[in-house]
């Protein structure tokens, strides 16, 4: 395939994207192709190319910068390689839950992959009230397989170290270290919150106990190379329908703690729940329970049948590992709730609530719940306790 | 310097080692040089080259295999690069405590460095009864500086990730994972112990609680990328005199837990103590206390003046980190005591005790103490408690 590689990076246009598709022979010869750039233009170009039979492909190209809220800063093109390598690695374990990759070009920072436009971004669907009955079962399966098989339990421990080297991802990790684990807990210029939250936010910044617990979670993120995590597993990184689920955009992938992806996903379910009336929230809480239960059941089953670690047969070790994971999951979920409410990157679930009063109220709940999860994560030892605890925190809502 | 590089690996001889020294102009032109190969031949060639004024250098070359107890297996030559890079990195922070490196050649797997033959290997000196009054102060200083400045507290957190990538060291880590954290706790063919220990060893293999705690420590070794550790910091990796200390042989260096180097060093002091009569042990216990006290005082001072982590000012965070480090230190020390007694690689401190009864008794003590440290590491919260605890375990000696 080297003959068709470009040696110098330049952003594709709709025309050159079609030329690339033709060179790759992904459509019938002579097919008439149309192309639309459908990305948000902040980080990547995303070209949707279709023939007249609506057969499509996606060409995703990293841009050499990131734009967020008007600011622009340089960002490594290598994230495209991280993304397509993560899709390849995770795809070995859960082929039905990630898009198929047809072609990659490191110089162009391009990944050509399966067209998923027949599905909907899960965050958007949840905001519209869709149920996605299989979403949490699929994500629980995705989490258990991708995390187990890239960890010291499911992969040769020397190969795991070699894989970790490939996923050394300092620039993207820094975004998370700053925006998830640091800035929201200090009076930092990247923060972005409404006036009605100010007193809550100032209280949070002054809470030394909370900050100590966040420091511990950040330390875990910085040092615990447990598994190849997706690194940005919110509901905006998931395509879904009532029958299918596909996890996309793993450009933040790196060797991190087991609980990080689980916590981010669960937090984003909770952020959707907080945008709803109290009596509508149970379906999201149900998704939270299923996510953990499918994850832990599948992880347990893999541990018992596939483990390469001789100590996995030692009494109590699996329970210890699962206890660590649920504790971290809860803490990371708490950080995500806080940062999506007052940090740089918000979620539409809360921001699109049109009533000022209801929106501010929901955001205060997000902060209250986030703080509670971070500081009480050691006391919660099962998913049932977790959901009961959440109901308790929100009961005077 | 590329002109003098060899492109193909071949083991040096005393003659070609002298030729290399001449090409590097490390001696006066025309100097008459003598060369002796002084390595043990198991892992590396070590050439000591001197001129007639006794000015010397060391040329260390990795061999493409490892030999232990008659067995030989292939071992990456890249360990020479890891070693000289670790000397370079650590040398930035404690230049007086590591040998100076004059030249390296990756293809030849060669490091040319300072001649330390005027010093003695600390293990040998301790066995001979030397006190080394500054040994623990120097090693405490070495540990605090090398660990702090390569961690997320003392180094830019993105540069730390890039550095961790350079020190990806799967083959050497595997030796530790197997020989320190696994084989001694199972009936494995690499184990090597005397008949008089058999009932003790079988009891240890059957102890599920102990194995669970070892599993947790192994997990930490496998996943906690906290700092660039030496990876093999026993008293045989240290040259010493009454005034000087130099840490050598960091070919096992990788990003691992803070407590690993500290635990291994302390365990090797304790192994020496166990070879002595009860009333002679205090000087070693004193070294243990000084090592930790100098480490923790220096680490604390660096934390307060040099930290790059904003949360380092958060109340309680330093205490939390030091508590984690002492707990891990004690656990890792316990593993080292066990594996040096019944695993593949022993220590002369115990093996050279000529009386069978006294030797077996000392080794039983090492096993008893190792097991106690592994299982009770969470209860010990200060170095004074630690030494008191050790005296308690050994009191009916």
């Amino acid at each position: 395939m080297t003959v068709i590689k470009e040696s110098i990076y330049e952003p594709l246009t709709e025309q050159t994207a079609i030329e690339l598709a033709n060179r790759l022979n992904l459509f019938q010869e002579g097919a008439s192709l149309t192309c639309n750039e459908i990305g948000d233009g902040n980080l990547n170009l995303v070209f949707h190319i279709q023939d007249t039979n609506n057969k499509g492909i996606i060409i995703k190209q990293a841009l050499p910068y990131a734009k967020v809220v008007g600011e622009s800063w340089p960002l490594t093109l290598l994230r495209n390689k991280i993304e397509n390598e993560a899709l390849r690695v995770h795809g070995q374990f859960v082929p039905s839950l990630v898009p198929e990759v047809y072609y990659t070009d490191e110089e162009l920072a391009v990944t050509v992959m399966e067209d998923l436009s027949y599905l909907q971004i899960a965050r958007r669907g949840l905001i519209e009230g869709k149920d996605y009955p299989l979403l949490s079962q699929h994500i629980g399966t995705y989490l258990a397989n991708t995390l187990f098989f890239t960890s010291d339990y499911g992969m040769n421990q020397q190969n795991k170290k070699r894989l970790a080297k490939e996923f050394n991802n300092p620039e993207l990790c820094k975004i998370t270290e700053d925006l998830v684990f640091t800035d929201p807990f200090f009076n930092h210029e990247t923060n972005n919150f409404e006036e009605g939250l100010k007193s809550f936010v100032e209280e949070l910044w002054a809470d030394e106990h909370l900050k100590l617990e966040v420091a511990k979670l950040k330390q875990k993120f910085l040092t615990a190379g447990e598994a190849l995590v997706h690194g940005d597993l919110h509901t905006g990184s998931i395509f879904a329908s009532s029958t299918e689920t596909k996890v996309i955009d793993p450009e933040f992938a790196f060797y991190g703690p087991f609980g990080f992806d689980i916590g981010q996903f669960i937090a984003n379910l909770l952020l959707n729940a907080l945008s709803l009336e109290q009596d509508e929230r149970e379906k999201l809480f149900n998704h939270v329970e299923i996510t953990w239960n499918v994850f832990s059941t599948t992880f347990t089953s893999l541990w018992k049948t596939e483990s390469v670690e001789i100590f996995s047969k030692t009494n109590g070790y699996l329970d210890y590992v699962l206890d660590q994971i649920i504790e971290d999951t809860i803490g990371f979920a708490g950080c995500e709730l806080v940062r999506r409410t007052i940090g740089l990157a918000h979620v539409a679930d809360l921001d699109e609530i049109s009533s000022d009063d209801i929106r501010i109220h929901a955001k205060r709940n997000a902060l209250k719940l986030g703080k509670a999860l971070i500081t009480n994560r050691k006391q919660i030892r099962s998913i049932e306790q977790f959901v009961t605890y959440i109901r308790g925190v929100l009961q005077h809502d």
Side-chain angles (χ1 to χ4, degrees), chain A:
Chain A
M1 296 256 244
T2 45
V3 289
I4 52 171
K5 280 205 179 184
E6 306 283 333
S7 61
I8 296 171
Y9 176 82
E10 58 178 338
L12 294 175
T13 62
E14 292 183 349
Q15 187 51 42
T16 56
I18 287 179
E19 287 166 20
L20 175 60
N22 279 327
R23 286 201 302 277
L24 295 173
N25 295 320
L26 293 171
F27 293 93
Q28 285 198 329
E29 207 175 317
S32 169
L33 302 180
T34 56
C35 179
N36 289 299
E37 204 286 301
I38 57 172
D40 59 11
N42 287 334
L43 285 162
N44 302 290
L45 295 170
V46 182
F47 299 95
H48 181 209
I49 299 179
Q50 278 189 307
D51 67 13
T52 47
N53 301 319
N54 292 328
K55 175 178 183 272
I57 62 167
I58 293 292
I59 299 182
K60 182 170 174 180
Q61 182 180 39
L63 289 165
Y65 52 79
K67 277 192 201 159
V68 181
V69 199
E71 294 282 323
S72 177
W73 68 84
L75 192 61
T76 177
L77 290 172
L78 282 174
R79 67 190 194 276
N80 184 269
K81 186 182 179 205
I82 295 275
E83 175 172 347
N84 63 54
E85 285 286 306
L87 287 173
R88 185 184 59 76
V89 173
H90 287 162
Q92 290 170 42
F93 310 119
V94 282
S96 67
L97 299 176
V98 299
E100 189 181 345
V101 173
Y102 303 133
Y103 175 77
T104 63
D105 182 323
E106 200 174 323
E107 287 76 26
L108 274 182
V110 150
T111 304
V112 182
M113 63 187 134
E114 190 179 356
D115 177 14
L116 300 172
S117 59
Y118 66 101
L119 302 172
Q120 187 179 25
I121 288 292
R123 184 185 305 288
R124 184 50 50 197
L126 290 170
I127 291 172
E128 290 171 6
K130 294 213 173 68
D131 283 348
Y132 296 129
L134 299 179
L135 176 67
S136 43
Q137 185 185 314
H138 285 161
I139 297 297
T141 303
Y142 168 89
L143 290 165
N145 282 278
T146 59
L147 298 176
F148 178 83
F149 281 116
T150 60
S151 78
D152 287 301
Y153 309 115
M155 174 177 277
N156 172 289
Q157 298 177 344
Q158 276 43 64
N159 290 342
K160 177 220 163 191
K161 291 179 184 67
R162 292 180 191 105
L163 195 63
K165 187 173 176 176
E166 284 183 50
F167 286 95
N168 193 282
N169 199 0
E171 286 193 54
L172 281 283
C173 283
K174 177 158 176 62
I175 295 174
T176 307
E177 287 154 25
D178 289 349
L179 298 188
V180 178
F181 292 108
T182 309
D183 299 355
F185 302 95
F186 295 87
N187 185 0
H188 197 281
E189 58 181 8
T190 61
N191 290 325
N192 172 25
F193 55 86
E194 302 178 64
E195 189 61 26
L197 296 174
K198 200 170 177 199
S199 63
F200 279 67
V201 173
E202 284 172 348
E203 205 179 291
L204 189 138
W205 290 341
D207 186 336
E208 282 285 304
H209 175 57
L210 174 70
K211 284 161 102 157
L212 175 57
E213 296 308 312
V214 174
K216 295 176 188 175
L217 290 160
K218 181 178 179 183
Q219 183 201 49
K220 196 120 197 187
F221 185 85
L222 285 164
T223 62
E226 296 173 347
L228 180 63
V229 300
H230 177 286
D232 194 27
L233 190 63
H234 58 87
T235 48
S237 297
I238 299 168
F239 270 115
S241 71
S242 58
T243 57
E244 276 192 276
T245 309
K246 301 273 184 183
V247 176
I248 61 167
D249 288 356
E251 57 202 305
F252 285 77
F254 78 112
Y255 260 81
F258 284 121
F260 188 68
D261 284 351
I262 318 174
Q264 285 214 313
F265 177 66
I266 284 178
N268 280 272
L269 294 175
L270 294 175
L271 286 161
N272 186 266
L274 290 171
S275 74
L276 304 175
E277 300 285 329
Q278 231 187 89
D279 58 1
E280 295 173 324
R281 291 177 185 160
E282 285 301 318
K283 65 180 182 186
L284 276 307
F285 295 163
N286 197 33
H287 271 318
V288 169
E289 285 200 44
I290 293 172
T291 302
W292 176 263
N293 285 334
V294 171
F295 165 76
S296 61
T297 308
T298 311
F299 190 92
T300 297
S301 158
L302 293 172
W303 178 285
K304 289 182 175 165
T305 57
E306 305 281 338
S307 181
V308 298
E309 168 57 61
I310 188 170
F311 283 105
S312 63
K313 299 202 187 331
T314 300
N315 290 340
Y317 190 26
L318 173 61
D319 288 343
Y320 171 77
V321 169
L322 287 173
D323 279 354
Q324 281 186 313
I325 299 177
I326 199 167
E327 179 186 321
D328 293 346
T329 291
I330 296 167
F332 291 136
C335 294
E336 178 75 356
L337 288 172
V338 171
R339 76 102 169 194
R340 291 295 194 178
T341 308
I342 63 172
L344 182 68
H346 287 200
V347 291
D349 313 59
L350 297 184
D351 274 3
E352 288 182 3
I353 299 172
S354 54
S355 154
D356 286 352
D357 284 356
I358 296 175
R359 190 179 63 253
I360 292 290
H361 183 71
K363 290 188 174 186
R364 284 182 185 173
N365 268 340
L367 291 181
K368 183 170 142 188
L369 185 57
K371 185 175 153 176
L373 296 184
I374 292 167
T375 52
N376 291 301
R377 66 192 189 283
K378 277 191 193 299
Q379 280 71 57
I380 304 165
R381 294 270 64 90
S382 74
I383 197 67
E384 294 74 21
Q385 257 188 48
F386 177 62
V387 172
T388 304
Y389 181 78
I390 291 170
R391 286 197 199 94
V393 173
L394 301 174
Q395 73 184 344
H396 303 300
D397 192 11

